[in-house]
Structure formats: C-alpha cells, structure tokens
Amino acid sequence: RVYGGSTWEAYEFTDPVDVGFYRNTYDIRILDAEGEDITDNYEIEKEYGELKIRQGYLLLSSGSASKEYDGQELSNSECKIVEGSVADKHKLTMRAVGTIQEVGFSRNTIQAVIVDENGMDVTELYDITYNMGLLTITPRRLTVQTLDITRPYYSRPVDGDWTIVGGSL
C-alpha cells in the first residue's frame, strides 16, 4: 500500500497447520519511495484478530419413523455422519431429539457438539448441514357401527346403540 511515496507491507503471518483458533499475528515493514526500510521511524501499535482454521463440511442425518396414532410419543434416536469427518483430536457428540405424540409430522432435529482434546467447544470450526428425518403419526382407523335398536318415540340414543367393529381405541 502506498501513502505519500511510502509503502507498507505485512509479513510473517500466523501460519497454523491444525484446525483451531489462533491469534492472527503479523509483522509490519514500512518502506520509503526508494524501497528502503524506514520502519524504525514509526511507533507501530498492532492489534491482532482471531484466525479460525476450519475443518470443513459435515452432513449429519437423523432417522425417520412413522406409526399409527396410539397416544404414545414417537421418536427415532438414529443419527449419523453421512459426509465429512471431524479432525483427529476432535470428538463429535450428536443425538436426534425430535418427538411427536399427536397426528401429524415433525422434523427429527439433531443436536451436535464438537469438542477438542481440552473439552473446548469447536463446533463453529465446521460447516454443518443437517438432513433431518421425518417423524409421522397417522390417524388411527376405527369403524363404528350402529346397532339395530328398537326404542320408544322421542327417546334419545344411548351408549349401547353402537359398537366398534374395526380397529381399536
């Protein structure tokens, strides 16, 4: 970069080899118009940011499941890595946490955390895509039949006037 005939350049950057978080260090050199180093003529204050070396892409998938309504909760704990991998010193903990209890459908959501060898959460070092399974509860089928009944005029139906002939509660 050129300022009033002088230029500056950064060099000796942080050069990590492993996935992780690093202090993003550098050094500065200032050169005059003839290319001579005049850095000693400046008091340079450096501020360092954070350098993140990312592992890459992970595709995580959770299982699907379906059933007929029975009043009980439906879940599927199946969860796996479909593509990609974690770094050697990292550990992935994941679980499918989706549930459904009534008729309908719901995504089988995934909770995933990746930690390094010191237990530090490094999940943000990964580009994670979630392929969530589908949990589905379908209506329970019942066949209800009215019975042949004889009753007096103006009387109302009673509980015994019909019965379930197909399916169950």
Side-chain angles (χ1 to χ4, degrees):
R1 299 184 189 220
V2 179
Y3 295 95
S6 296
T7 60
W8 68 273
E9 61 185 18
Y11 64 100
E12 292 193 21
F13 298 96
T14 300
D15 190 20
V17 294
D18 292 323
V19 171
F21 300 94
Y22 300 90
R23 189 172 182 204
N24 195 11
T25 61
Y26 59 92
D27 212 344
I28 294 287
R29 179 174 29 232
I30 300 174
L31 307 171
D32 65 14
E34 287 77 42
E36 296 295 318
D37 188 336
I38 57 171
T39 307
D40 291 340
N41 294 325
Y42 293 85
E43 184 177 314
I44 300 171
E45 180 179 332
K46 298 175 194 166
E47 294 181 5
Y48 301 115
E50 181 179 74
L51 174 62
K52 247 187 276 189
I53 303 299
R54 298 187 68 172
Q55 171 66 16
Y57 174 73
L58 282 178
L59 174 59
L60 305 181
S61 179
S62 62
S64 294
S66 65
K67 70 175 183 175
E68 185 177 77
Y69 175 78
D70 63 2
Q72 301 299 309
E73 191 172 83
L74 174 65
S75 64
N76 182 341
S77 61
E78 178 187 333
C79 196
K80 63 185 177 183
I81 298 176
V82 177
E83 290 181 30
S85 62
V86 295
D88 290 338
K89 296 179 182 179
H90 293 175
K91 180 182 178 197
L92 168 64
T93 303
M94 63 180 162
R95 62 189 185 122
V97 296
T99 62
I100 187 170
Q101 190 168 350
E102 303 295 327
V103 170
F105 63 91
S106 177
R107 294 282 176 204
N108 193 8
T109 55
I110 301 169
Q111 290 180 344
V113 176
I114 302 168
V115 295
D116 66 12
E117 66 274 16
N118 300 316
M120 180 178 156
D121 185 341
V122 293
T123 308
E124 70 179 275
L125 294 177
Y126 293 80
D127 180 16
I128 302 175
T129 299
Y130 299 95
N131 183 12
M132 294 179 279
L134 192 62
L135 302 173
T136 306
I137 295 182
T138 59
R140 187 171 194 90
R141 297 210 177 266
L142 289 178
T143 303
V144 179
Q145 178 184 47
T146 58
L147 302 174
D148 294 332
I149 303 289
T150 302
R151 74 171 154 256
Y153 188 64
Y154 289 115
S155 68
R156 303 195 140 248
V158 294
D159 289 342
D161 286 358
W162 47 85
T163 186
I164 295 175
V165 295
S168 63
L169 295 177

